[in-house]
Amino acid sequence: MLDNDAVRILSYTHREREDPMIKLAPSILSADFARLGEEVADVTAGGADYIHFDVMDGVFVPNLSIGIPVLKSLRKATDAFLDVHLMVTRPQRYVGAFCKAGADLVTVHLEAAEPQDLFAAIEAIRAEGKQVGMALKPKTPAEAIVPYLPLLDLALVMTVEPGFGGQSFMADQLPKIRALRGMIDAQSLSCEIEVDGGIDPDTAPLVKEAGAEVLVAGSAVFKKEDRRAAMEAIRNA
């Protein structure tokens, strides 16, 4: 575990990086599920880089959402990059099935299992030839991800409490994004930083300045009539 001085030193490294290309990952949690294929096609045509697919089990988070059957159906309807975020307890039980169902990237929560099971989940995702992500709840410090970071394609910082859409952005998570940016750059890792929660044209510049590269947005995209314009407003804010 890094001490506070080490995290602070690493957090400055991102300032010397060139501005990365920002990717947009609209969250289908805010889409019209009666027209899910059409909704995904619309945002993909509008410039979405990833499609964010939230899975909730009612145990790890106090809500239920969608799962493997919906992912299988969506995979048949789109060639888009499917970014699957598992907000489920003991995710090692399910990662292989989600990979087989069509996920391109599977993100598990650091808080959802014991370390040996998290390493097993990472290995299982890699065995399926898919990308691996790990997410952190707001109360989880950045340094907790250090043992896993070299094994990841993506680190997800939650800027709301996971479980429900439409929450307000938590600005106190910006130092965590900066610390992760510094850790990744210091080790020259090819690990993207994704941010999920309250992202819109007002908050996007804050997380981009902190070092985020992939921005998840739900209502700020799907609740707008012109999805392309909504995504460009976030990307270019």
Side-chain angles (χ1 to χ4, degrees):
M1 181 172 292
L2 300 179
D3 60 28
N4 290 336
D5 288 338
V7 171
R8 187 159 51 247
I9 291 168
L10 289 173
S11 73
Y12 291 112
T13 308
H14 81 282
R15 298 178 182 176
E16 300 176 1
R17 300 169 68 248
E18 294 182 0
D19 290 338
M21 181 182 75
I22 297 301
K23 297 179 181 178
L24 264 291
S27 170
I28 63 169
L29 199 61
S30 297
D32 180 353
F33 275 77
R35 302 174 48 251
L36 186 55
E38 296 171 44
E39 292 276 78
V40 168
D42 187 27
V43 295
T44 301
D49 300 283
Y50 298 168
I51 300 298
H52 195 74
F53 190 101
D54 286 308
V55 181
M56 307 178 196
D57 66 355
V59 179
F60 182 71
V61 293
N63 200 3
L64 291 167
S65 65
I66 49 180
I68 291 167
V70 176
L71 182 61
K72 284 183 178 179
S73 296
L74 186 59
R75 178 77 287 167
K76 294 175 184 177
T78 183
D79 292 327
F81 186 96
L82 298 181
D83 164 19
V84 175
H85 177 194
L86 298 185
M87 288 173 273
V88 304
T89 190
R90 297 174 60 204
Q92 71 276 10
R93 298 174 293 168
Y94 305 111
V95 292
F98 276 98
C99 289
K100 290 180 172 65
D104 293 295
L105 179 149
V106 177
T107 295
V108 299
H109 264 269
L110 182 148
E111 308 89 354
E114 295 298 322
Q116 66 271 19
D117 292 327
L118 292 172
F119 284 116
I122 292 170
E123 185 176 350
I125 297 166
R126 287 275 181 235
E128 295 291 339
K130 303 306 176 80
Q131 293 186 30
V132 183
M134 184 167 286
L136 302 177
K137 285 184 174 184
K139 292 182 180 178
T140 303
E143 58 265 33
I145 205 171
V146 167
Y148 311 98
L149 202 53
L151 306 174
L152 304 177
D153 298 291
L154 181 143
L156 169 56
V157 176
M158 295 297 301
T159 45
V160 296
E161 289 294 340
F164 295 94
Q167 298 180 64
S168 297
F169 176 80
M170 299 172 69
D172 61 359
Q173 297 304 297
L174 293 171
K176 183 188 296 183
I177 299 169
R178 293 190 183 98
L180 276 173
R181 180 78 273 153
M183 295 173 195
I184 290 167
D185 291 350
Q187 298 180 62
S188 300
L189 301 175
S190 57
C191 178
E192 294 182 313
I193 296 178
E194 182 174 67
V195 177
D196 182 0
I199 299 299
D200 59 26
D202 294 325
T203 59
L206 302 177
V207 299
K208 288 191 287 185
E209 186 279 332
E213 299 153 298
V214 184
L215 310 186
V216 178
S219 57
V221 172
F222 279 108
K223 301 306 181 185
K224 304 296 184 181
E225 184 174 344
D226 187 337
R227 275 72 180 273
R228 179 184 292 274
M231 286 187 285
E232 286 303 307
I234 296 169
R235 197 191 307 272
N236 299 322

